[in-house]
Amino acid sequence: MKTYVQPGNTITLTAPYAVASGDGLLVGSIFGIASGAAAIGEPVETALVGVFDITKVGSQAWTVGAKVYWDDTNKRTTTVATDNTLIGAAVEAVASGAGDTIGRVRLNATF
């Protein structure tokens, strides 16, 4: 079709802050995972869908299927909705220990 551009699983965004490969980033209402490093204002290829291990709030237990939000102030995921952006759902349970700072998330690719 004449209007088709690309599948949309990844897109190039302008980094709103410095990111490393695997970091989350939020541009307006678009959340994704950086596929490489980029300084603020540089283009970065960004994955919008898939399952990723992402930094989360320590001491916060997750259950499978829990809604996961991006805390753009602290650049990490959380199950707290207030002032945060819904990005997907937990696909593995995570304990509530202070050292449990990685959560496995399926990105929902919705805005």
Side-chain angles (χ1 to χ4, degrees):
M1 72 191 100
K2 296 189 303 184
T3 58
Y4 180 80
V5 177
Q6 68 183 52
N9 296 336
T10 63
I11 59 173
T12 303
L13 295 173
T14 301
Y17 34 79
V19 293
S21 178
D23 284 352
L25 65 145
L26 184 66
V27 178
S29 60
I30 303 172
F31 178 83
I33 303 295
S35 65
I40 187 171
E42 289 185 344
V44 61
E45 192 67 15
T46 307
L48 304 179
V49 296
V51 177
F52 296 88
D53 289 338
I54 309 174
T55 302
K56 67 175 267 307
V57 174
S59 302
Q60 185 180 78
W62 287 10
T63 57
V64 174
K67 289 181 180 179
V68 176
Y69 301 83
W70 180 249
D71 173 353
D72 201 46
T73 301
N74 296 298
K75 310 299 185 261
R76 62 186 180 187
T77 55
T78 179
T79 55
V80 176
T82 305
D83 297 325
N84 298 313
T85 302
L86 180 63
I87 64 166
V91 296
E92 284 188 355
V94 182
S96 61
D100 295 313
T101 59
I102 301 293
R104 188 158 288 171
V105 179
R106 180 195 175 275
L107 299 183
N108 65 3
T110 59
F111 315 119

